[in-house]
Amino acid sequence: MSLPHAILTALLERPSSGLELTRRFDRSIGYFWSATHQQIYRELGKLEAEGHIRALASEQPARGQKKRYEVLPAGRDELARWAAASQDPKPYRDSLFLRLRAAAVVGTEGIEADLRRHLEVHGKQLAEYEEIEKRDFPPGKDSPQDRLQHLILRAGIDLETFWTQWLTHALEEFAGLPDQSR
């Protein structure tokens, strides 16, 4: 996924200003694709220059008023092309796994505490996702858009469930190591 495509998606869902996009990234898209305020504004400029979006005319022009953007047909076509294109899965990289591998040869000082911290972070994220699911996807909310958005949320729930289970197992394994390994 790329930031321009995330922005096109968000703007097709609802024309927005850069500030509104930043807030929406913080509340939803940011769970799986994060971007800073500066990155969003930089991409808005590029998308506008490429003819994929345009600033909407302001009802009351005023200095410093935030621009609201909408997607043009070329932007919709680009997003449709990108969404339909085949992509290979990206190799998974996580420094925690590398650190565990290093700990096997240099010692495990600090690792157990960090595993516990990771478990706490993933547990909180899992609880947040489950709360979003209860709030935003009650039974019967099953339009095609709702079903696809729920599918994305379910991926987050399943990933956080994996992490909490794996970290619990890792801590159990860690507890069983001989003292000299620690």
Side-chain angles (χ1 to χ4, degrees):
M1 180 185 217
S2 67
L3 182 55
H5 297 104
I7 290 171
L8 288 170
T9 300
L11 289 175
L12 278 170
E13 291 172 343
R14 183 174 60 241
S16 304
S17 69
L19 181 58
E20 290 166 338
L21 282 171
T22 300
R23 289 180 180 148
R24 287 172 60 203
F25 267 74
D26 288 344
R27 288 190 320 265
S28 62
I29 295 170
Y31 285 117
F32 56 90
W33 194 264
S34 61
T36 66
H37 188 76
Q38 293 84 1
Q39 290 171 315
I40 289 171
Y41 274 94
R42 188 171 40 246
E43 287 301 326
L44 284 170
K46 289 178 186 175
L47 288 166
E48 191 172 25
E50 293 168 351
H52 291 154
I53 64 171
R54 71 172 172 205
L56 293 168
S58 176
E59 293 174 10
Q60 298 177 350
R63 186 178 167 174
Q65 186 171 352
K66 53 189 173 182
K67 288 184 191 177
R68 293 177 53 82
Y69 295 92
E70 69 177 352
V71 177
L72 295 170
R76 179 181 281 279
D77 291 346
E78 167 53 23
L79 186 59
R81 181 210 58 78
W82 177 81
S86 177
Q87 292 184 345
D88 290 333
K90 302 282 184 230
Y92 185 73
R93 294 170 37 160
D94 191 301
S95 64
L96 179 61
F97 295 154
L98 185 56
R99 290 175 48 239
L100 283 170
R101 180 79 181 246
V105 293
V106 298
T108 60
E109 186 173 335
I111 296 292
E112 183 176 14
D114 204 39
L115 289 171
R116 291 188 190 289
R117 187 181 66 77
H118 277 251
L119 180 58
E120 181 181 337
V121 169
H122 285 288
K124 285 179 182 178
Q125 189 65 67
L126 176 59
E128 184 175 347
Y129 285 165
E130 289 172 336
E131 187 60 37
I132 291 169
E133 183 178 43
K134 277 193 270 185
R135 181 191 71 215
D136 294 351
F137 298 100
K141 189 173 182 183
D142 63 354
S143 72
Q145 182 176 355
D146 289 332
R147 291 174 69 182
L148 290 174
Q149 289 176 347
H150 192 195
L151 184 64
I152 297 163
L153 179 61
R154 282 300 322 167
I157 290 169
D158 292 348
L159 285 169
E160 295 303 333
T161 299
F162 159 78
W163 276 111
T164 57
Q165 291 173 348
W166 183 85
L167 287 159
T168 299
H169 175 75
L171 284 163
E172 290 167 358
E173 196 67 32
F174 195 91
L177 293 175
D179 285 339
Q180 67 267 21
S181 297
R182 298 170 130 186

